[in-house]
Amino acid sequence: MKLKMVQILDEKGNCDEKAIDGISEELMFKMYRLMNLARLWNDKALSLQRQGRMGTLASVRGQEASNVGMALPLQPEDWFVPAFREYGALFALGVPLKDQYLYWGGDERGARIADDLKITPACITIGAHLIHAVGIAMAAKIRGEKSVVLSSSGDGSTSQGDFHEALNFSAVYEAPVVFVIQNNHWAISLPVEKQTKTKTLAEKAAAYALEGVLVDGNDVFAVYQTVRKYVERAREKSQPVLIELVTYRMGDHTTADDASRYRTPEIIKEWEKKDPIERLKKYLTKNHGWSEAKEKKLIEELTREVETAVKEYENVEPLEPTHLFRHMYHEMPWHISEQMAEVKEFSGLGGK
Ligand SMILES: Cc1ncc(C[n+]2csc(CCOP(=O)(O)OP(=O)(O)O)c2C)c(N)n1
């Protein structure tokens, strides 16, 4: 099967103006701002992790166009059902920067999404949330609501049974779901070529009689236009779709990984040329009066925003350690009670 990749903005920042119909100048600058914000937030989090001020982090570097471009077409009534490498999308949808620092700092309060945002918590169990996405979409359909569900997962999720069950069910019952795969080429140290014999992930849609769409995931215009088109189609006709965003994980899998053990620096150099932020910057400079002075001002402003979020995060009163044991059982089993008492004793919170 041969799928043509949707690309609007090339690596040199050239763009087919007809293809960006509906993307205002204001929206372009919003995209640029959000992509830079995701990167600065990410780099700060990596440095905090190295200083022992943050937990394990899954870097989003390189995937900013996919993240931002997929989130912006969503309407307030739509649901976003993410995996875990999507904080660029979360910021675009209004999740506070501080909350994501809390989350990656190991504080469960960071997983709490505000009630007015239709976003499910990060799903670490690979692919499991695709089933949830279908369930939410079916509920909306049965209730006659016009909301659409956008799920995002990595290439690794396509090797899970849940992925196939979700696609099949959504096709048979016509659930309004847009399945987005961020193909960043790696599932930890396993390259995508070792996960599948197919040339693309998008073509797997054919097995379920769904449309499969292949998109340059480092081209924010292509991501936005494609996702917008299929979100609106799902809303109007309740038709699911599989969209593969071809991007690249520029960092390690997480801060607990060392990617230099399984990939060469050359490949990183190749993907640096396709950098999603640089690409949009070139386009904005050529066509919308972007300048180094404006760039400096933007980066300063975003850096201040990030620093403020770090302060807010570090000023949150830590949870007392016994919190770990709560919320799981209505009645705590004896062995958990015993462990909680031990933690209390050793953490100086008072004995048994
Ligand atoms: C069901 C399941 N199996 C294994 C893991 C361990 N694990 C964590 S991340 C990951 C790789 C995921 O790769 P991908 O889906 O491509 O997403 P990416 O990390 O590249 O964003 C694996 C195997 C897990 N979290 N869940």
Side-chain angles (χ1 to χ4, degrees), residues 114-253:
D115 289 343
D116 59 337
L117 294 177
K118 295 190 163 181
I119 304 173
T120 51
C123 183
I124 304 288
T125 315
I126 303 303
H129 61 300
L130 304 182
I131 300 283
H132 308 158
V134 178
I136 296 169
M138 284 306 292
K141 183 174 172 164
I142 291 164
R143 288 181 183 145
E145 294 166 1
K146 277 283 181 192
S147 51
V148 171
V149 182
L150 179 88
S151 74
S152 170
S153 56
D155 39 286
S157 74
T158 65
S159 298
Q160 292 289 116
D162 287 346
F163 168 80
H164 302 277
E165 292 173 35
L167 262 72
N168 189 52
F169 194 100
S170 73
V172 173
Y173 291 95
E174 298 182 333
V177 191
V178 173
F179 297 99
V180 169
I181 302 296
Q182 293 192 75
N183 175 4
N184 67 10
H185 289 78
W186 294 96
I188 313 186
S189 54
L190 193 75
V192 70
E193 311 81 66
K194 289 210 174 141
Q195 303 223 34
T196 184
K197 273 282 197 186
T198 58
K199 287 210 169 54
T200 68
L201 300 173
E203 69 197 69
K204 291 177 188 285
Y208 311 102
L210 288 179
E211 194 174 342
V213 190
L214 186 66
V215 181
D216 180 344
N218 283 7
D219 168 356
V220 70
F221 292 160
V223 176
Y224 177 84
Q225 291 296 61
T226 307
V227 172
R228 186 173 65 151
K229 173 178 162 188
Y230 287 97
V231 162
E232 289 321 315
R233 189 185 80 161
R235 196 183 314 286
E236 293 316 314
K237 301 188 179 156
S238 206
Q239 277 177 7
V241 65
L242 176 65
I243 301 175
E244 174 184 353
L245 306 178
V246 181
T247 180
Y248 202 80
R249 194 195 77 206
M250 296 300 278
D252 298 327
H253 169 66

